[in-house]
């Protein structure tokens, strides 16, 4: 079974920074794209940032210039560096990865359990 385990959430003041991590574990052949999503209370889940296996990145307009997604393929880990945080960034952040269990199968989406980020003074 493939598991994604997130860490790094918490409470931070506006203007502060947090770094989220998400490590994939279990038996699998390869990971394609990895991404971070978030869901704020009362809102739909939204894509925050995505990074491909070749490290091409894309960001939601609301976080461009403030958030940076990166990955360490040797550790099967994706990171989200969040700077200049705003109260509207408050949400549960979820890690997502497209994982191929074997070289004979296609890619499937896996999700982490979510980590709470709260931006408040």
């Amino acid at each position: 079974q493939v598991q994604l385990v997130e860490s790094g959430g918490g409470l931070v003041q506006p203007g502060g920074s947090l770094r989220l991590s998400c490590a994939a574990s279990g038996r699998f052949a390869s990971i394609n794209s990895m991404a971070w999503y978030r869901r704020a209370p009362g809102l739909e889940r939204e894509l925050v940032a995505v990074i491909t296996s070749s490290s091409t990145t894309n960001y939601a307009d609301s976080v461009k210039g403030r958030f940076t997604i990166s990955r360490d393929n040797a550790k099967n880990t994706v990171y989200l560096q969040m700077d200049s945080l705003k109260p509207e960034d408050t949400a549960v952040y979820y890690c997502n990865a497209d994982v191929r269990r074997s070289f004979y199968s296609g890619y499937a989406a896996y999700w982490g359990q979510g980590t709470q980020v709260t931006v408040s003074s």
Side-chain angles (χ1 to χ4, degrees), residues 19 26 29 57 69-70 100 105 115 119:
R19 188 191 194 207
T57 60
I69 189 170
S70 61
R100 185 167 56 173
S105 64
T115 185
V119 185

Side-chain angles (χ1 to χ4, degrees), residues 38-46 87-94 116-119:
R38 68 186 180 187
R39 176 177 283 158
L43 298 179
E44 296 291 320
R45 183 177 62 192
E46 65 170 343
E88 51 263 44
D89 294 319
T90 296
V92 178
Y93 285 70
Y94 297 91
Q116 177 70 46
V117 172
T118 302
V119 185

Side-chain angles (χ1 to χ4, degrees), residues 14-34:
S17 297
L18 280 175
R19 188 191 194 207
L20 305 182
S21 300
C22 171
S25 63
R27 295 189 61 166
F28 51 88
S30 64
I31 300 175
N32 193 6
S33 61
M34 303 183 82

Side-chain angles (χ1 to χ4, degrees), residues 18-120:
L18 280 175
R19 188 191 194 207
L20 305 182
S21 300
C22 171
S25 63
R27 295 189 61 166
F28 51 88
S30 64
I31 300 175
N32 193 6
S33 61
M34 303 183 82
W36 289 95
Y37 288 75
R38 68 186 180 187
R39 176 177 283 158
L43 298 179
E44 296 291 320
R45 183 177 62 192
E46 65 170 343
L47 175 65
V48 176
V50 59
I51 184 167
T52 68
S53 57
S54 58
S55 295
T56 299
T57 60
N58 199 18
Y59 297 91
D61 288 342
S62 58
V63 306
K64 281 181 181 176
R66 301 188 298 120
F67 290 11
T68 303
I69 189 170
S70 61
R71 64 191 287 171
D72 184 333
N73 291 329
K75 296 181 179 179
N76 296 315
T77 299
V78 63
Y79 306 96
L80 185 68
Q81 177 66 41
M82 304 185 293
D83 299 318
S84 302
L85 282 160
K86 304 175 181 180
E88 51 263 44
D89 294 319
T90 296
V92 178
Y93 285 70
Y94 297 91
C95 172
N96 166 270
D98 287 336
V99 181
R100 185 167 56 173
R101 297 285 303 276
S102 76
F103 289 109
Y104 305 100
S105 64
Y107 286 94
Y110 289 84
W111 294 88
Q113 79 285 357
T115 185
Q116 177 70 46
V117 172
T118 302
V119 185
S120 175

